[in-house]
Amino acid sequence: MSDKTLLLIDGFNLLSRGYFATAYGKSDEQLSKNDQGQYINAVRVFFQKLFQLTRQYPITHISVAWDGKRQDTSRNQQYAFYKAQRQDLPEPLIEQYHLTKELLDNLNVHQLAVGGYEADDIIGAFSTLWAESGFGQTYIYSNDRDLFQLLNPTTAQILSKKKQEIVYSDEAFQAEYDITPTQWVDVKALLGDASDNIPGCPGVGEKSALPLIRQYGDLKQVFKNVDSLDPTFNRYKKKLREGEETTWISYELSQIITDIEAVTAVNHSELEFSWDEANALHAMAAKGIKVKIR
């Protein structure tokens, strides 16, 4: 294994968290702007975190992943209800998305959006390729726990937990949940996800989903043995029989795609990270974005 270290940033996860954290209780007119009249409250948070991460970890390669248009994703093409309940984004956030992409280009930071795919899929494809090629360590920066399914001995996730950031490894995941990361999608399929409009198996919640996968390994074995489940799961037999179809749909929606041609086509040298920090900070300041690095 080489000593390369790849940082994969879930772009909109970071940008939107920064936006809503700094826009809470404020009107659009109260949000911070630069001299050009551009909103910068979320942009500042985004780049402050980017600079912190590149200082804190020995990053050699980097890519920021962005979602494609929701209606164009393969998941929405097949299941129109997927994320259908989500409201339109605030205009100041949309404007800052475009500004962030422009600034990343100016700093020569690799970024990628692929039509038909979500940022999770791009991250999944890059991290899988990186691990299988033996390039080195990968850090995923996102608070999206769906990404737990990507954890492996060389892939960890940096996320906020109990008001602090932790590096969540596959070992930490297995110690906490007593399953492997690849089994996480089976648990998610049973639970569903209201924020994404994923139905799951109605009536099967956190108290049963994880124990079921711990004991039977995966969904296939759960449904194969549904008539002879351990007596502790008797109350869920009927719910599992009635919810099998929606569970398998939820599995399909929850599983991150890890084979994307557009990702495979990227030469890993394109992801090389090298900037003069002082010049980068100066370029940000020229846009009225003063980044404080702790």
Side-chain angles (χ1 to χ4, degrees), residues 14-44:
L14 173 55
L15 189 68
S16 61
R17 281 165 53 204
Y19 175 82
F20 289 109
T22 55
Y24 182 77
K26 297 180 181 178
S27 65
D28 289 356
E29 291 72 24
Q30 292 174 307
L31 301 179
S32 55
K33 295 181 180 180
N34 61 12
D35 292 339
Q36 291 80 48
Q38 296 171 303
Y39 293 104
I40 57 171
N41 61 305
V43 176
R44 181 185 291 119

Short mmCIF file of all heavy atoms in Angstrom, two decimals, residues 14-44:
data_model
loop_
_atom_site.label_atom_id
_atom_site.label_comp_id
_atom_site.label_asym_id
_atom_site.label_seq_id
_atom_site.Cartn_x
_atom_site.Cartn_y
_atom_site.Cartn_z
N LEU A 14 -21.60 19.45 3.42
CA LEU A 14 -20.85 20.46 4.16
C LEU A 14 -21.41 21.85 3.91
O LEU A 14 -21.60 22.64 4.86
CB LEU A 14 -19.37 20.40 3.76
CG LEU A 14 -18.45 21.49 4.31
CD1 LEU A 14 -18.54 21.57 5.83
CD2 LEU A 14 -17.01 21.26 3.87
N LEU A 15 -21.69 22.18 2.67
CA LEU A 15 -22.16 23.53 2.34
C LEU A 15 -23.51 23.81 2.99
O LEU A 15 -23.72 24.90 3.56
CB LEU A 15 -22.25 23.69 0.83
CG LEU A 15 -22.52 25.12 0.33
CD1 LEU A 15 -21.32 26.03 0.61
CD2 LEU A 15 -22.84 25.12 -1.16
N SER A 16 -24.43 22.87 2.93
CA SER A 16 -25.77 23.11 3.49
C SER A 16 -25.73 23.16 5.01
O SER A 16 -26.45 23.96 5.63
CB SER A 16 -26.75 22.04 3.01
OG SER A 16 -26.35 20.74 3.42
N ARG A 17 -24.89 22.32 5.63
CA ARG A 17 -24.75 22.40 7.09
C ARG A 17 -24.23 23.78 7.48
O ARG A 17 -24.70 24.38 8.47
CB ARG A 17 -23.80 21.31 7.58
CG ARG A 17 -24.44 19.93 7.68
CD ARG A 17 -23.40 18.84 7.82
NE ARG A 17 -22.48 19.10 8.92
CZ ARG A 17 -21.25 18.61 8.99
NH1 ARG A 17 -20.78 17.85 8.02
NH2 ARG A 17 -20.49 18.87 10.03
N GLY A 18 -23.25 24.28 6.74
CA GLY A 18 -22.71 25.62 7.02
C GLY A 18 -23.75 26.70 6.82
O GLY A 18 -23.83 27.65 7.60
N TYR A 19 -24.57 26.52 5.79
CA TYR A 19 -25.60 27.53 5.51
C TYR A 19 -26.64 27.58 6.64
O TYR A 19 -26.90 28.66 7.18
CB TYR A 19 -26.30 27.22 4.18
CG TYR A 19 -27.44 28.17 3.91
CD1 TYR A 19 -27.20 29.43 3.36
CD2 TYR A 19 -28.75 27.83 4.23
CE1 TYR A 19 -28.25 30.33 3.15
CE2 TYR A 19 -29.80 28.72 4.02
CZ TYR A 19 -29.54 29.96 3.48
OH TYR A 19 -30.57 30.85 3.29
N PHE A 20 -27.22 26.45 6.96
CA PHE A 20 -28.31 26.46 7.94
C PHE A 20 -27.82 26.79 9.35
O PHE A 20 -28.55 27.37 10.15
CB PHE A 20 -29.06 25.12 7.91
CG PHE A 20 -29.88 24.94 6.66
CD1 PHE A 20 -29.50 24.02 5.69
CD2 PHE A 20 -31.00 25.72 6.43
CE1 PHE A 20 -30.24 23.87 4.53
CE2 PHE A 20 -31.76 25.57 5.28
CZ PHE A 20 -31.38 24.65 4.31
N ALA A 21 -26.57 26.46 9.64
CA ALA A 21 -26.02 26.80 10.95
C ALA A 21 -25.85 28.31 11.12
O ALA A 21 -26.02 28.85 12.22
CB ALA A 21 -24.68 26.11 11.16
N THR A 22 -25.54 29.00 10.02
CA THR A 22 -25.28 30.44 10.11
C THR A 22 -26.48 31.29 9.66
O THR A 22 -26.46 32.51 9.84
CB THR A 22 -24.06 30.82 9.25
OG1 THR A 22 -24.27 30.36 7.89
CG2 THR A 22 -22.80 30.19 9.79
N ALA A 23 -27.50 30.63 9.11
CA ALA A 23 -28.68 31.38 8.64
C ALA A 23 -29.86 31.26 9.59
O ALA A 23 -30.88 31.92 9.39
CB ALA A 23 -29.09 30.88 7.26
N TYR A 24 -29.70 30.45 10.63
CA TYR A 24 -30.82 30.20 11.54
C TYR A 24 -31.33 31.50 12.16
O TYR A 24 -30.56 32.28 12.73
CB TYR A 24 -30.39 29.24 12.65
CG TYR A 24 -31.51 28.88 13.61
CD1 TYR A 24 -32.50 27.98 13.25
CD2 TYR A 24 -31.59 29.48 14.86
CE1 TYR A 24 -33.54 27.67 14.11
CE2 TYR A 24 -32.62 29.18 15.74
CZ TYR A 24 -33.59 28.27 15.36
OH TYR A 24 -34.62 27.97 16.22
N GLY A 25 -32.63 31.73 12.02
CA GLY A 25 -33.25 32.90 12.62
C GLY A 25 -32.98 34.21 11.90
O GLY A 25 -33.32 35.28 12.40
N LYS A 26 -32.36 34.13 10.71
CA LYS A 26 -32.02 35.35 9.97
C LYS A 26 -32.80 35.42 8.66
O LYS A 26 -33.11 34.39 8.05
CB LYS A 26 -30.52 35.38 9.66
CG LYS A 26 -29.62 35.44 10.87
CD LYS A 26 -28.16 35.46 10.45
CE LYS A 26 -27.23 35.51 11.67
NZ LYS A 26 -25.80 35.48 11.26
N SER A 27 -33.09 36.62 8.23
CA SER A 27 -33.67 36.83 6.90
C SER A 27 -32.54 36.82 5.89
O SER A 27 -31.36 36.93 6.25
CB SER A 27 -34.42 38.16 6.84
OG SER A 27 -33.51 39.24 7.00
N ASP A 28 -32.88 36.72 4.60
CA ASP A 28 -31.84 36.75 3.56
C ASP A 28 -31.01 38.02 3.65
O ASP A 28 -29.79 38.01 3.44
CB ASP A 28 -32.49 36.65 2.17
CG ASP A 28 -33.07 35.27 1.90
OD1 ASP A 28 -32.90 34.38 2.75
OD2 ASP A 28 -33.69 35.10 0.83
N GLU A 29 -31.66 39.13 3.99
CA GLU A 29 -30.97 40.43 4.05
C GLU A 29 -29.93 40.47 5.17
O GLU A 29 -28.98 41.26 5.13
CB GLU A 29 -31.98 41.57 4.25
CG GLU A 29 -32.89 41.83 3.05
CD GLU A 29 -33.94 40.74 2.86
OE1 GLU A 29 -34.27 40.05 3.86
OE2 GLU A 29 -34.41 40.55 1.73
N GLN A 30 -30.10 39.61 6.17
CA GLN A 30 -29.18 39.61 7.32
C GLN A 30 -27.98 38.69 7.11
O GLN A 30 -27.05 38.70 7.92
CB GLN A 30 -29.94 39.17 8.58
CG GLN A 30 -30.99 40.18 9.05
CD GLN A 30 -31.81 39.65 10.20
OE1 GLN A 30 -32.37 38.56 10.14
NE2 GLN A 30 -31.87 40.42 11.29
N LEU A 31 -27.99 37.91 6.05
CA LEU A 31 -26.87 37.01 5.79
C LEU A 31 -25.66 37.80 5.29
O LEU A 31 -25.80 38.79 4.58
CB LEU A 31 -27.27 35.95 4.75
CG LEU A 31 -28.46 35.06 5.11
CD1 LEU A 31 -28.75 34.09 3.97
CD2 LEU A 31 -28.19 34.30 6.41
N SER A 32 -24.47 37.33 5.66
CA SER A 32 -23.25 38.05 5.28
C SER A 32 -23.01 37.96 3.77
O SER A 32 -23.27 36.95 3.13
CB SER A 32 -22.05 37.48 6.04
OG SER A 32 -21.92 36.09 5.84
N LYS A 33 -22.52 39.10 3.23
CA LYS A 33 -22.20 39.19 1.81
C LYS A 33 -20.81 39.80 1.65
O LYS A 33 -20.29 40.45 2.56
CB LYS A 33 -23.21 40.07 1.08
CG LYS A 33 -24.64 39.53 1.05
CD LYS A 33 -25.54 40.48 0.27
CE LYS A 33 -26.97 39.98 0.21
NZ LYS A 33 -27.85 40.91 -0.56
N ASN A 34 -20.22 39.60 0.47
CA ASN A 34 -18.94 40.26 0.18
C ASN A 34 -19.20 41.57 -0.54
O ASN A 34 -20.36 41.98 -0.73
CB ASN A 34 -18.02 39.34 -0.62
CG ASN A 34 -18.62 38.96 -1.98
OD1 ASN A 34 -19.60 39.54 -2.43
ND2 ASN A 34 -18.02 37.97 -2.64
N ASP A 35 -18.14 42.25 -0.95
CA ASP A 35 -18.27 43.56 -1.59
C ASP A 35 -18.98 43.49 -2.94
O ASP A 35 -19.49 44.49 -3.44
CB ASP A 35 -16.89 44.20 -1.79
CG ASP A 35 -16.25 44.59 -0.47
OD1 ASP A 35 -17.00 44.73 0.53
OD2 ASP A 35 -15.01 44.75 -0.42
N GLN A 36 -19.00 42.29 -3.53
CA GLN A 36 -19.69 42.11 -4.82
C GLN A 36 -21.17 41.79 -4.63
O GLN A 36 -21.90 41.54 -5.60
CB GLN A 36 -19.04 40.99 -5.63
CG GLN A 36 -17.63 41.32 -6.17
CD GLN A 36 -16.55 41.15 -5.11
OE1 GLN A 36 -16.50 40.14 -4.42
NE2 GLN A 36 -15.69 42.15 -4.99
N GLY A 37 -21.62 41.77 -3.35
CA GLY A 37 -23.02 41.48 -3.08
C GLY A 37 -23.36 40.00 -3.09
O GLY A 37 -24.54 39.63 -3.13
N GLN A 38 -22.34 39.15 -3.07
CA GLN A 38 -22.57 37.70 -3.07
C GLN A 38 -22.71 37.18 -1.64
O GLN A 38 -21.95 37.56 -0.75
CB GLN A 38 -21.40 36.99 -3.76
CG GLN A 38 -21.23 37.33 -5.23
CD GLN A 38 -19.93 36.78 -5.79
OE1 GLN A 38 -18.84 37.08 -5.28
NE2 GLN A 38 -20.04 35.98 -6.83
N TYR A 39 -23.67 36.30 -1.43
CA TYR A 39 -23.80 35.66 -0.12
C TYR A 39 -22.57 34.79 0.13
O TYR A 39 -22.10 34.06 -0.75
CB TYR A 39 -25.04 34.78 -0.09
CG TYR A 39 -26.36 35.53 -0.17
CD1 TYR A 39 -27.10 35.55 -1.35
CD2 TYR A 39 -26.85 36.22 0.93
CE1 TYR A 39 -28.32 36.23 -1.42
CE2 TYR A 39 -28.06 36.90 0.87
CZ TYR A 39 -28.78 36.90 -0.31
OH TYR A 39 -29.98 37.58 -0.38
N ILE A 40 -22.07 34.86 1.38
CA ILE A 40 -20.85 34.09 1.67
C ILE A 40 -20.91 33.37 3.03
O ILE A 40 -19.90 32.80 3.47
CB ILE A 40 -19.59 34.99 1.64
CG1 ILE A 40 -19.74 36.15 2.63
CG2 ILE A 40 -19.32 35.49 0.23
CD1 ILE A 40 -18.47 36.96 2.81
N ASN A 41 -22.07 33.36 3.69
CA ASN A 41 -22.11 32.74 5.02
C ASN A 41 -21.78 31.25 4.98
O ASN A 41 -21.03 30.73 5.82
CB ASN A 41 -23.48 32.96 5.69
CG ASN A 41 -24.64 32.37 4.91
OD1 ASN A 41 -24.81 32.67 3.72
ND2 ASN A 41 -25.44 31.55 5.56
N ALA A 42 -22.29 30.53 3.98
CA ALA A 42 -22.00 29.09 3.87
C ALA A 42 -20.63 28.85 3.24
O ALA A 42 -19.93 27.91 3.60
CB ALA A 42 -23.08 28.41 3.04
N VAL A 43 -20.27 29.70 2.29
CA VAL A 43 -18.96 29.56 1.61
C VAL A 43 -17.83 29.66 2.62
O VAL A 43 -16.86 28.90 2.58
CB VAL A 43 -18.80 30.63 0.52
CG1 VAL A 43 -17.41 30.55 -0.11
CG2 VAL A 43 -19.87 30.47 -0.55
N ARG A 44 -17.96 30.62 3.56
CA ARG A 44 -16.92 30.79 4.57
C ARG A 44 -16.75 29.52 5.41
O ARG A 44 -15.63 29.08 5.66
CB ARG A 44 -17.24 31.98 5.46
CG ARG A 44 -16.17 32.23 6.52
CD ARG A 44 -16.56 33.33 7.49
NE ARG A 44 -16.58 34.63 6.84
CZ ARG A 44 -17.65 35.41 6.74
NH1 ARG A 44 -18.80 34.99 7.24
NH2 ARG A 44 -17.59 36.58 6.14
#
